[in-house]
Amino acid sequence: MSLKIVTWNINSVRLRLAQVNELAKLAKADILCLQEIKVIDDLFPHDGLKELFPYRAVKGMKAYNGVAILSKLPIIEESRLQWCGKDDARHISATVEAGKAGKIEVHNFYIPAGGDEPDPEINEKFAHKLKFMKEMARWGKKTISPKARRIMVGDFNVAPLEADVWSHKQLLKIVSHTPVETDHLEKVRTTQDWVDAVRHFIPEDEKAFSWWSYRNRDWRASNRGRRLDHIWVTPSLTEHLSGIEILDQTRDWTKPSDHCPIALELSI
DNA sequence: ATGGTCGCTTGGCGA
């Protein structure tokens, strides 16, 4: 069977509810992971989503952050982990039952953006971001299991490779692409030998972006993008990877999110 | 070097 998993930083699920359904059909998503839903659990728009996604796991908060996993496949287990001692809705996981293929564990993260100044001594937000990734690496080591079939997605707010930003040189001191951040993210990746699904299909030296600032008037013309959104899979799933799609056409929709979705197809 | 735009919420924060 084919399984399609999509990640998208939606920047308000209530404002873009119609776009979720549009995207779900466009990408033929079986599982859709959202970040920055910006809503408390009680106000999450279940009614507008339940037809396409009968199973939903939500972790929201007021005004900021918030993550959700929408699924056509039954969710048989959920978890919501706290990071850096904060209850700030940056993680949710769901174990789905994928027919004969068995269980797959999906983790959806919204890593802190980190503010503007890339110095943890003077910028608490940047310190928080680094600490968050350190905790992720510890979590990875602690929960590793060679046979586990696990997928990790989300807005990691880090563009790790040179071709993940529009200008490597100009962004080396810009939060999201500094060496200390890319080192931290690489440590998270190696804890479970995660495979970067986008770079599994797209050569490492080919530019690939998932985010363009709202401040660029013509995002496509200037193309000052970054690849902040990621889909990683455990090595046990590598042989099942069958396709990747960066759905940047959504950036041209009316009232777009500043992030575009990424869709991974697996044959399992 | 600076400012540019969003969303949530209603003054200002976070991205």
Side-chain angles (χ1 to χ4, degrees):
Chain A
M1 72 178 259
S2 154
L3 178 72
K4 281 193 93 175
I5 178 161
V6 180
T7 182
W8 189 27
N9 180 322
I10 191 171
N11 188 17
S12 171
V13 69
R14 287 178 292 177
L15 189 67
R16 278 179 261 282
L17 179 59
Q19 293 187 22
V20 180
N21 287 294
E22 185 74 26
L23 169 65
K25 289 174 192 157
L26 181 70
K28 296 188 168 64
D30 297 300
I31 300 168
L32 176 50
C33 298
L34 301 173
Q35 304 87 36
E36 283 206 87
I37 59 174
K38 294 188 172 177
V39 64
I40 58 172
D41 291 355
D42 286 348
L43 294 178
F44 186 83
H46 288 281
D47 282 348
L49 296 165
K50 63 188 179 192
E51 274 194 37
L52 274 172
F53 297 107
Y55 305 93
R56 299 169 303 280
V58 178
K59 172 65 182 174
M61 63 180 278
K62 188 177 178 180
Y64 301 108
N65 313 335
V67 285
I69 299 176
L70 314 177
S71 177
K72 293 184 192 299
L73 305 170
I75 294 174
I76 55 178
E77 210 177 315
E78 303 177 14
S79 81
R80 293 156 181 79
L81 299 177
Q82 284 198 18
W83 306 83
C84 305
K86 294 172 193 277
D87 186 24
D88 58 354
R90 294 182 181 275
H91 167 271
I92 191 163
S93 79
T95 303
V96 297
E97 186 63 58
K100 277 188 203 162
K103 295 176 189 175
I104 297 180
E105 204 178 298
V106 178
H107 289 267
N108 181 13
F109 282 91
Y110 177 50
I111 296 179
D116 288 331
E117 187 56 58
D119 179 351
E121 300 295 324
I122 59 172
N123 175 8
E124 275 181 24
K125 290 191 203 121
F126 195 73
H128 179 211
K129 183 178 196 173
L130 297 182
K131 186 163 183 244
F132 194 102
M133 285 192 274
K134 276 184 191 155
E135 282 192 11
M136 284 176 77
R138 274 209 299 277
W139 163 79
K141 276 182 201 151
K142 201 172 65 188
T143 63
I144 190 166
S145 144
K147 280 165 58 183
R149 289 156 21 115
R150 196 174 277 171
I151 302 175
M152 180 161 134
V153 310
D155 177 1
F156 295 176
N157 269 311
V158 178
L161 304 174
E162 291 192 17
D164 291 335
V165 292
W166 63 276
S167 166
H168 170 62
K169 269 192 171 174
Q170 283 173 266
L171 285 164
L172 269 172
K173 290 180 178 172
I174 302 296
V175 171
S176 73
H177 193 60
T178 64
V180 65
E181 290 168 85
T182 55
D183 286 352
H184 275 63
L185 188 65
E186 179 62 7
K187 282 188 181 118
V188 177
R189 196 191 64 74
T190 54
T191 55
Q192 299 195 14
D193 290 324
W194 291 103
V195 175
D196 178 338
V198 168
R199 290 303 177 188
H200 179 82
F201 292 100
I202 302 175
E204 290 209 345
D205 58 353
E206 188 175 312
K207 284 199 163 51
F209 308 145
S210 65
W211 172 87
W212 294 262
S213 170
Y214 282 127
R215 294 172 190 177
N216 294 129
R217 273 282 95 198
D218 186 336
W219 70 276
R220 209 185 273 279
S222 58
N223 199 25
R224 296 188 166 191
R226 305 178 202 170
R227 188 170 70 103
L228 304 179
D229 304 274
H230 301 272
I231 303 183
W232 291 357
V233 304
T234 45
S236 56
L237 285 170
T238 311
E239 59 178 315
H240 302 289
L241 300 178
S242 56
I244 199 86
E245 199 175 359
I246 300 176
L247 294 139
D248 64 2
Q249 64 267 44
T250 67
R251 193 65 180 73
D252 277 327
W253 286 354
T254 306
K255 285 223 162 239
S257 167
D258 46 354
H259 294 254
C260 75
I262 299 172
L264 172 70
E265 184 170 21
L266 297 134
S267 301
I268 51 176

